[in-house]
Amino acid sequence: MSGSLSVAVVGGGIGGLAAALALSRAGHDVRVFEQARAVSEVGAGIQLAPNATRVLRDLGVLAEIERVAVRPEVFEFRRWDDGRLLSSTPLGAAIEQTYGAPYLHVHRADLVRVLAGAFPAERVAVGRRCVGAVRRPDGAEVRFADGSGTAADVVVGADGIHSAVRASLFGARAARFTGYVAYRGLVPAQRVAGLGLGRRSTVDLGPGAHLVHYFVAAGRLLNVVCVLEESSWTREAWTDPGDPAELRAAFTGWHPTVRGVVEALDHPLKWALFDREPLPEWGAGAVTLVGDACHPMLPYAAQGAGQAVEDAAALAACLTGASAADVPAALARYAELRLPRTTRVQGMSRDNGTRFHLPDGPDQLARDEVMAAAFGLSPDIDWLYGHPVPASSSGGREGARRG
């Protein structure tokens, strides 16, 4: 069809599948190449703010996601030792009315399953490990570990923080260890039924550590993430077992509710948190990047998945109606649109890592005063959550109440 491009998406995670869906809806011939033997997602829960759910609605998958998600009533920050409420922001109907889309908690595996189910299975090739992308005069080519390759008008690297596509464009550079480690896991809801947690997103802040918990999987599971400062653990694997006794010792003296949540997490997984400096550009010629491949996010603003989903919508909008000759300019425009926003969100996430772990004292008291007066994550919440959906094959509707 006129304006249809062949697109090779490298990576079958949240960002890759969202990009594949958005580009397919824009009329392009899209294939996804995933290195694993099946499209799946390890890990636990994620938070989807209105800037993400607005895009997912336009992609036609929000209703299915809502069936397996939790719609929290409030987002709150609490103090580590006495559980005192520092900040409380209504979610539920209030945030949907303000920003035109819901705030949801969802298990990563559920989200990937919904996205994968909305994209033709025959257009997904598994067991294809990408080792790089090569620009060509007529587009680009993805190279695989088995020596094969596939040519396309556009190559999209959605292959994570250690992206082979990124390395082939800009050279291989090690990611930066941040000095933070995370313990995480899922707890059956009945194990914490006596703690009175409710349908909230709760962040408990303390010196050198913080803990996040919220329900996912339609309320059946509590997602728990405990972040500590540690310099010796640098493994990035999501499936390395953590020591429950070590974790519990780190939260000695914290509020009884926090200790109850930590006690219930009897099989935590542990991994080190890495990030990268923002890239000055995201691609070259017919090759570009989305999600963690170009802007890996620390989890302290709950925007990693959200920014990848935004990338998908913007990329599809920039390529709508483009010919092969238009691709380099269209991809340059995509990066120009997205780079300032994702750089700012990366900075917010990093800054929150420092803010969340302040020792008790004057800086902590000043932080708590700011949190009491506004949404705790950021004073720029309208800018973050009200971001408009770019005009695309969904009909050009911007969908946000405020930009």
Side-chain angles (χ1 to χ4, degrees):
M1 67 178 66
S2 176
S4 177
L5 301 167
S6 61
V7 183
V9 176
V10 179
I14 293 169
L17 290 171
L21 277 174
L23 290 163
S24 180
R25 286 172 62 89
H28 301 302
D29 178 17
V30 185
R31 294 194 68 192
V32 176
F33 298 90
E34 165 59 36
Q35 68 175 346
R37 292 294 175 184
V39 172
S40 62
E41 182 68 50
V42 297
I46 55 173
Q47 303 186 57
L48 295 174
N51 57 302
T53 56
R54 190 178 304 114
V55 175
L56 294 168
R57 181 179 57 207
D58 279 14
L59 292 179
V61 296
L62 182 58
E64 182 66 21
I65 293 168
E66 287 186 289
R67 279 192 276 273
V68 294
V70 169
R71 189 181 290 236
E73 299 168 356
V74 68
F75 194 115
E76 62 183 22
F77 286 87
R78 292 185 176 272
R79 181 170 164 79
W80 70 281
D81 54 353
D82 58 9
R84 177 165 49 90
L85 187 66
L86 302 176
S87 171
S88 179
T89 300
L91 298 177
I95 202 163
E96 184 167 7
Q97 182 177 3
T98 301
Y99 297 110
Y103 195 111
L104 300 177
H105 295 158
V106 63
H107 193 293
R108 284 178 179 270
D110 288 338
L111 178 57
V112 169
R113 177 181 55 77
V114 171
L115 293 172
F119 189 74
E122 66 273 14
R123 307 298 296 170
V124 179
V126 297
R128 304 297 302 278
R129 184 169 70 85
C130 170
V131 294
V134 179
R135 286 175 286 161
R136 302 182 357 165
D138 58 346
E141 181 181 359
V142 182
R143 300 274 176 85
F144 299 103
D146 62 5
S148 66
T150 189
D153 295 320
V154 182
V155 170
V156 180
D159 48 342
I161 189 171
H162 300 298
S163 169
V165 177
R166 178 190 181 281
S168 68
L169 289 170
F170 306 117
R173 295 185 180 90
R176 181 183 73 94
F177 174 52
T178 61
Y180 299 109
V181 298
Y183 292 79
R184 75 184 305 162
L186 295 165
V187 177
Q190 61 269 26
R191 293 197 61 188
V192 292
L195 297 178
L197 301 179
R199 295 209 166 190
R200 306 183 185 99
S201 179
T202 300
V203 186
D204 297 282
L205 305 179
H210 74 278
L211 181 144
V212 182
H213 58 80
Y214 52 85
F215 288 101
V216 296
R220 296 188 304 275
L221 299 170
L222 182 72
N223 182 66
V224 182
V225 183
C226 312
V227 180
L228 306 172
E229 296 175 5
E230 183 178 322
S231 60
S232 60
W233 184 273
T234 58
R235 282 181 54 81
E236 292 182 81
W238 286 54
T239 55
D240 283 346
D243 183 347
E246 181 181 80
L247 176 61
R248 291 164 187 167
F251 287 92
T252 299
W254 286 55
H255 187 263
T257 300
V258 173
R259 296 202 310 273
V261 170
V262 173
E263 286 286 339
L265 187 61
D266 51 6
H267 297 291
L269 304 177
K270 182 180 180 181
W271 88 104
L273 299 181
F274 286 72
D275 74 353
R276 294 182 182 274
E277 292 298 322
L279 289 169
E281 54 189 348
W282 283 6
V287 184
T288 194
L289 305 169
V290 300
D292 282 354
C294 48
H295 52 70
M297 298 275 170
L298 291 171
Y300 311 140
Q303 279 290 314
Q307 292 305 303
V309 168
E310 282 188 17
D311 289 346
L315 179 60
C318 289
L319 287 173
T320 296
S323 67
D326 299 328
V327 165
L331 296 184
R333 176 60 178 159
Y334 155 69
E336 179 185 342
L337 287 171
R338 293 295 299 153
L339 228 166
R341 179 168 169 85
T342 59
T343 297
R344 183 172 169 184
V345 179
Q346 278 184 287
M348 289 166 54
S349 300
R350 285 182 175 179
D351 291 347
N352 282 338
T354 301
R355 293 172 65 223
F356 289 0
H357 288 201
L358 290 174
D360 286 351
D363 290 343
Q364 164 261 321
L365 290 171
R367 176 202 68 193
D368 293 353
E369 289 181 5
V370 171
M371 285 186 168
F375 189 92
L377 274 177
S378 169
D380 302 320
I381 202 65
D382 278 357
W383 172 84
L384 185 60
Y385 288 177
H387 187 65
V389 177
S392 68
S393 62
S394 60
R397 184 176 60 81
E398 289 203 333
R401 197 177 75 84
R402 47 176 98 173

